[in-house]
């Protein structure tokens, strides 16, 4: 098939979950299909990365950062800031010209909020949702009293556009079964395929952790994403102080792009830039992922599992994965429970090795990119039928 793939971001470098997902999926499906990628970029320097995507034809289109005057004007006129920032006349014209040439069998949008830049077409259209976006904004609004009214308004506007787009597309792709069931019940959508997030199982090496008196806890996140920013306060002021009190020799390493402000705390280290995330997973003893946002699935958790790094998260953190608490990972609901589970992970080494071994087997069987690429191809083929 000839696919026109419209992406909210250029899938290189591999710094965010969205970039990792789209890069690896396109690399797999391009073995059997011809793909043209129309991707938004935030700055002109990103054009240099196009050469790393030589397995597809790439058309980069400048969008810029979200807080620009045209986008703010559209917000005050009733649009959401998210969709306003993806309302782009240049992208719309490029897509219209591409579609007018009559060479495409299918149009793929990832995620839904690129739709304002896509003209109406009779070509079968697939929309892929990484999260249920408006629910992410709703949860963030609840956790941020200062921005609550503004974020609640943003969530309301996103919700309407998201539901309209999901309802009207020929096939919806979600990254988890729980997201699929949500859309099935909410809008009665039946043509839904699950194409989960994945990991390169040959890239990440499984390592059995040795018992240590100076454990290193790791938190990974792209802090451009609002939920990651909101997690810092409970992590640094509630969870980490309790862990460090129980384990005085422990260290917390925070790795991520655009870490906000000055982060301080007992034995807290920050790293804005790293050469290779694998080194961080290999040198850590526990991944802390106290996420409170349900839906989607989290790359840091999948990558940690592939690396043999014990994962301490929440039920929401395991959402979207086939992983189970006590079998593939550990979960906690309170600071005291994070302490108890941390001590258990570090002292009950035989049990911990069994759980990380189970996690690696799960990743190998369910979350390799080759298998996931076939699921995407299957979704495309079903849309054509």
């Amino acid at each position: 098939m000839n696919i026109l793939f419209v992406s909210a971001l250029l899938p290189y470098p591999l710094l965010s979950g969205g970039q990792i997902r789209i890069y690896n999926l396109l690399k797999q499906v391009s073995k059997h299909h011809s793909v043209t990628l129309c991707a938004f970029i935030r700055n002109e320097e990103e054009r240099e990365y196009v050469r790393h995507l030589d397995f597809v034809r790439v058309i980069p289109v400048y969008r810029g950062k979200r807080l620009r005057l045209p986008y703010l004007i559209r917000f005050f006129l009733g649009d959401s800031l998210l969709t306003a920032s993806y309302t782009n006349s240049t992208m719309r014209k490029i897509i219209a010209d591409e579609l007018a040439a009559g060479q495409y069998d299918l149009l793929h949008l990832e995620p839904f909020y690129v739709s304002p830049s896509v003209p109406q077409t009779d070509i079968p259209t697939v929309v892929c949702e990484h999260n249920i976006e408006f629910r992410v904004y709703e949860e963030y609004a609840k956790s941020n009293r200062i921005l609550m009214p503004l974020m609640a308004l943003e969530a309301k506007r996103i919700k309407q556009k998201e539901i309209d787009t999901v309802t009207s597309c020929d096939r919806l792709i979600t990254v988890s079964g729980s997201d699929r069931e949500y859309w099935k019940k909410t809008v009665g959508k039946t043509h839904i395929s699950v194409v989960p997030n994945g990991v390169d199982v040959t890239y990440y090496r499984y390592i059995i952790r040795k018992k240590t008196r100076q454990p290193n806890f790791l938190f990974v996140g792209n802090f451009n994403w609002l939920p990651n920013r909101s997690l810092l306060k409970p992590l640094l002021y509630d969870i980490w102080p309790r862990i460090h009190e129980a384990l005085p020799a422990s260290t917390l390493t925070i790795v991520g792009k655009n870490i906000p402000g000055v982060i301080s705390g007992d034995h807290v280290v920050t790293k804005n830039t790293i050469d290779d995330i694998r080194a961080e997973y290999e040198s850590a003893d526990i991944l802390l992922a106290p996420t409170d946002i349900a839906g989607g699935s989290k790359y840091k958790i999948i990558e940690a599992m592939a690396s043999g790094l014990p994962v301490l998260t929440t039920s929401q953190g395991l959402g979207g994965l086939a992983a189970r608490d006590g079998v593939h990972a550990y979960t906690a609901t309170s600071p005291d429970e994070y302490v108890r589970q941390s001590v258990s992970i570090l002292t009950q080494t035989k049990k911990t090795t069994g759980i990380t071994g189970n996690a690696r087997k799960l990743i190998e069987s369910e979350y390799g990119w080759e298998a996931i690429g076939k699921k995407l191809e299957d979704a495309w083929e079903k849309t054509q039928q």
Side-chain angles (χ1 to χ4, degrees):
M1 283 190 284
N2 289 327
I3 310 295
L4 182 58
F5 196 111
V6 184
S7 170
L9 75 176
L10 191 74
Y12 201 92
L14 306 182
L15 298 176
S16 69
Q19 288 173 308
I20 293 168
R21 175 185 174 86
I22 294 171
Y23 175 89
N24 284 283
L25 282 176
L26 290 182
K27 194 170 185 179
Q28 290 297 325
V29 300
S30 64
K31 298 174 183 177
H32 310 112
H33 305 277
S34 175
V35 181
T36 294
L37 170 65
C38 293
F40 284 102
I41 58 176
R42 276 68 175 164
N43 57 71
E44 294 298 336
E45 288 75 18
E46 287 186 71
R47 295 183 188 277
E48 298 178 6
Y49 297 130
V50 170
R51 60 188 175 86
H52 296 282
L53 303 167
D54 57 358
F55 42 87
V56 294
R57 174 181 171 232
V58 183
I59 305 175
V61 177
Y62 179 76
R63 187 207 76 156
K65 297 185 182 299
R66 187 179 297 185
L67 295 179
R68 298 176 65 212
L69 183 59
Y71 305 148
L72 293 173
I73 291 173
R74 292 187 65 88
F75 174 78
F76 286 113
L77 292 176
D79 202 351
S80 75
L81 186 58
L82 176 65
T83 53
S85 64
Y86 288 97
T87 303
N88 187 291
S89 59
T90 301
M91 177 67 87
R92 177 176 280 267
K93 185 178 186 307
I94 288 172
I95 294 174
D97 291 344
E98 290 290 321
L99 294 175
Q103 60 183 350
Y104 294 105
D105 302 301
L106 187 139
L107 176 64
H108 180 115
L109 312 183
E110 190 155 340
F112 90 93
Y113 45 78
V114 300
S115 60
S117 290
V118 178
Q120 288 188 340
T121 178
D122 294 329
I123 294 175
T125 301
V126 169
V127 173
C128 179
E129 288 278 72
H130 296 185
N131 303 281
I132 300 171
E133 201 70 28
F134 76 86
R135 294 176 71 185
V136 173
Y137 279 78
E138 286 177 343
E139 290 299 319
Y140 185 73
K142 293 176 185 177
S143 66
N144 193 313
R145 293 182 180 180
I146 297 175
L147 296 177
M148 183 181 292
L150 185 62
M151 295 304 299
L153 177 61
E154 177 76 352
K156 181 179 179 180
R157 292 177 177 178
I158 290 172
K159 181 177 181 179
Q160 187 57 58
K161 181 62 176 177
E162 191 166 12
I163 288 176
D164 289 346
T165 305
V166 165
T167 304
S168 62
C169 69
D170 295 288
R171 178 165 292 275
L172 174 67
I173 291 175
T174 66
V175 301
S176 71
S178 58
D179 285 4
R180 175 185 58 192
E181 291 306 308
Y182 174 85
W183 287 117
K184 185 177 179 181
K185 293 178 181 178
T186 303
V187 300
K189 191 77 177 180
T190 56
H191 296 139
I192 305 177
S193 299
V194 177
V195 180
N197 293 326
V199 67
D200 186 340
V201 294
T202 63
Y203 186 75
Y204 291 92
R205 184 167 60 106
Y206 175 76
I207 297 174
I208 297 176
R209 311 292 140 159
K210 296 180 180 179
K211 198 167 184 177
T212 177
R213 294 181 179 180
Q214 297 178 312
N216 178 25
F217 290 76
L218 177 67
F219 180 89
V220 179
N222 183 339
F223 294 96
N224 279 331
W225 199 49
L226 294 178
N228 280 335
R229 298 176 74 94
S230 69
L231 288 179
L232 281 177
K233 185 176 180 180
L235 173 66
L236 292 173
Y237 294 100
D238 298 327
I239 297 171
W240 176 245
R242 301 293 287 275
I243 292 176
H244 189 258
E245 182 182 5
L247 301 165
S250 60
T251 301
L252 171 64
T253 300
I254 298 175
V255 174
K257 186 179 178 182
N258 296 308
I259 297 175
V262 178
I263 293 176
S264 62
D266 289 333
H267 293 254
V268 177
V269 177
T270 60
K271 296 182 179 181
N272 278 286
T273 58
I274 55 172
D275 294 327
D276 192 335
I277 188 62
R278 292 176 297 180
E280 303 303 323
Y281 290 133
E282 291 179 7
S283 63
D285 298 290
I286 297 177
L287 177 80
L288 276 180
T291 181
D292 56 1
I293 300 294
S297 59
K298 288 70 181 174
Y299 279 94
K300 56 192 172 189
I301 292 177
I302 299 173
E303 292 171 346
M305 287 181 172
S307 306
L309 179 61
V311 172
L312 178 51
T313 184
T314 61
S315 58
Q316 294 96 326
L318 294 183
L321 297 174
R324 290 179 291 160
D325 178 31
V327 178
H328 308 96
Y330 300 80
T331 64
T333 59
S334 68
D336 285 342
E337 201 167 358
Y338 275 98
V339 172
R340 182 178 62 80
Q341 293 283 48
S342 296
V343 172
S344 174
I345 292 168
L346 294 169
T347 58
Q348 299 180 29
T349 54
K350 185 176 181 180
K351 177 183 176 182
T352 301
T353 299
I355 287 179
T356 60
N358 292 340
R360 173 69 190 198
K361 290 175 184 176
L362 176 67
I363 296 302
E364 289 178 349
S365 64
E366 299 290 335
Y367 297 101
W369 284 118
E370 184 175 357
I372 295 173
K374 290 178 181 177
K375 291 181 179 181
L376 177 57
E377 291 180 283
D378 178 67
W380 286 349
E381 290 168 3
K382 286 180 178 177
T383 309
Q384 287 286 92
Q385 294 173 0

